[in-house]
Amino acid sequence: MVVYALVSFSILWIVLKFADKTKSTAYILIAFIMLLLMPASIFKQTYAWYAGFNNYVTSALCALVVLLFVLKTLHNQERKTQWSQRIELVCFYTACIAGQLFMENVTLYNIAITGLGLLVYLVIYRKINLKLLIGFCLTWIGAIIMFTNPNYMNILAGNSSYQQVGSNTSMYDKVIQTLLKIIPYYGYFQCAIFLSVLAVVLLIILYRSP
């Protein structure tokens, strides 16, 4: 339960960091309510299932840490103190390698976001950011550790029936079915309340913004 609380609080805090509203009671309440409004189908696969929590929620936390650091670096935001800068850097490096060990799509996402951040920084500032470069290398190290697992070797050799696409379904058909049926159903229709609240919150923020 301590791990559940720490990871959940960390996700809430990082979401507020994106909006730079960590001290706003209203934003804290809104973010907390939106976390509570997750669909039951998602809740039972994450918070109600310990293995699912480690795979999905913890990996999401690592992905958010990586994304936040990359965005801050691209915007060239100065940290308040040397101590806070070191803490953020340690968290970033830890997330770059630890975040690769949970889910395949998060592994690829972290590689993509650090690589893209490194490229965009090079284009904007005409120099390579050493911190992003180290993070990018760490994501590759984590990916190598992830995909050299014997289970993935079995999948590559076609010896794992659990991860195989059915013999009556081609990979192309599976991709089309996922994009046109599965993602819209679970990503939109099952999240109607959450998306409605999110739309209202965004409209309020846009209305109050100068």
Side-chain angles (χ1 to χ4, degrees):
M1 294 303 294
V2 175
V3 175
Y4 271 56
L6 287 175
V7 173
S8 300
F9 175 80
S10 298
I11 288 179
L12 181 64
W13 184 78
I14 290 177
V15 169
L16 294 171
K17 286 285 289 184
F18 276 105
D20 197 22
K21 298 291 183 180
T22 54
K23 297 181 180 180
S24 172
T25 304
Y27 277 85
I28 292 174
L29 183 60
I30 290 172
F32 181 70
I33 291 175
M34 291 178 71
L35 283 177
L36 293 179
L37 287 175
M38 72 174 71
S41 57
I42 296 178
F43 181 85
K44 69 180 181 181
Q45 294 292 330
T46 53
Y47 285 88
W49 181 29
Y50 187 75
F53 179 86
N54 288 328
N55 286 335
Y56 301 119
V57 184
T58 307
S59 63
L61 173 61
C62 293
L64 288 173
V65 171
V66 171
L67 179 60
L68 180 62
F69 187 89
V70 170
L71 291 177
K72 278 192 170 186
T73 304
L74 291 178
H75 285 86
N76 203 19
Q77 293 183 2
E78 295 292 335
R79 280 71 177 179
K80 293 182 179 180
T81 63
Q82 191 73 15
W83 180 83
S84 64
Q85 182 177 355
R86 290 176 180 175
I87 292 295
E88 289 185 10
L89 193 60
V90 169
C91 291
F92 172 65
Y93 289 157
T94 302
C96 281
I97 191 165
Q100 305 299 80
L101 308 177
F102 295 99
M103 293 183 62
E104 300 87 347
N105 54 347
V106 177
T107 300
L108 299 177
Y109 163 82
N110 288 333
I111 291 175
I113 197 64
T114 51
L116 183 61
L118 188 63
L119 180 61
V120 172
Y121 191 94
L122 177 62
V123 172
I124 295 176
Y125 299 103
R126 303 296 179 181
K127 61 181 180 179
I128 294 177
N129 186 281
L130 183 60
K131 297 173 184 176
L132 291 180
L133 179 60
I134 294 175
F136 181 66
C137 294
L138 288 175
T139 58
W140 273 104
I141 293 173
I144 292 172
I145 296 173
M146 174 76 162
F147 292 114
T148 52
N149 185 292
N151 291 330
Y152 289 100
M153 297 296 101
N154 290 331
I155 296 171
L156 186 62
N159 297 327
S160 176
S161 59
Y162 180 74
Q163 287 89 356
Q164 283 182 339
V165 177
S167 58
N168 296 327
T169 305
S170 67
M171 182 61 71
Y172 175 79
D173 292 336
K174 189 66 176 179
V175 170
I176 295 299
Q177 181 183 4
T178 301
L179 291 176
L180 299 183
K181 293 182 179 180
I182 297 177
I183 291 179
Y185 178 75
Y186 288 103
Y188 299 100
F189 300 114
Q190 290 289 315
C191 306
I193 297 178
F194 173 79
L195 292 176
S196 299
V197 174
L198 178 61
V200 171
V201 171
L202 290 176
L203 287 174
I204 293 174
I205 294 174
L206 289 174
Y207 177 77
R208 292 184 176 181
S209 62

